[in-house]
Amino acid sequence: MDNRKKVAALKYKPNENAAPKVVAKGSGWLAEKILEVAKEHNVPLKQDSQLVEVLSAIDLNREIPPELYKAVAEILAFVYRMSKKEPSVLR
């Protein structure tokens, strides 16, 4: 079993994309660097180990498949709630 930290990052522009895209993913050292950059840019972070496993299997710059829409919609709702607390989140 691999106990290294894993991350996946999504990007969604409703006027440009039909669905969110996986724009970064990695484990171990790379995961730490992705998290570091996200924190530097005030990107909200949400932990969901099962979802990150699924997102990690998607090729970079590919839209998520329809079967993940519900799970990702929950993340987008989280980001929206965070943006109300911290307006710079959705720059």
Side-chain angles (χ1 to χ4, degrees), residues 1-6 27-28:
M1 185 161 116
D2 186 359
N3 289 328
R4 294 185 304 168
K5 182 178 290 196
K6 288 185 178 181
S27 62

Side-chain angles (χ1 to χ4, degrees), residues 30-43 45:
L30 184 55
E32 294 294 340
K33 288 304 273 182
I34 293 168
L35 289 172
E36 183 181 309
V37 171
K39 288 175 184 175
E40 287 173 3
H41 294 280
N42 297 317
V43 173
L45 304 172

Side-chain angles (χ1 to χ4, degrees), residues 6 9 12 17 20 32 37 40 42-44 53 55 57-60 65-66 69 74-76 79-80 86 88-90:
K6 288 185 178 181
Y12 182 52
N17 310 114
E32 294 294 340
V37 171
E40 287 173 3
N42 297 317
V43 173
E53 285 295 330
L55 292 173
I58 298 171
D59 290 336
L60 286 176
Y69 286 1
E74 292 173 9
I75 291 172
L76 293 176
V79 170
Y80 179 74
E86 179 66 47
S88 67
V89 166
L90 293 179

Side-chain angles (χ1 to χ4, degrees), residues 43-54:
V43 173
L45 304 172
K46 175 122 173 70
Q47 290 187 351
D48 186 328
S49 59
Q50 292 177 324
L51 185 56
V52 80
E53 285 295 330
V54 175

Side-chain angles (χ1 to χ4, degrees), residues 68-85:
L68 294 180
Y69 286 1
K70 184 176 185 241
V72 171
E74 292 173 9
I75 291 172
L76 293 176
F78 168 79
V79 170
Y80 179 74
R81 286 191 304 274
M82 293 300 294
S83 72
K84 290 201 163 247
K85 293 178 185 173

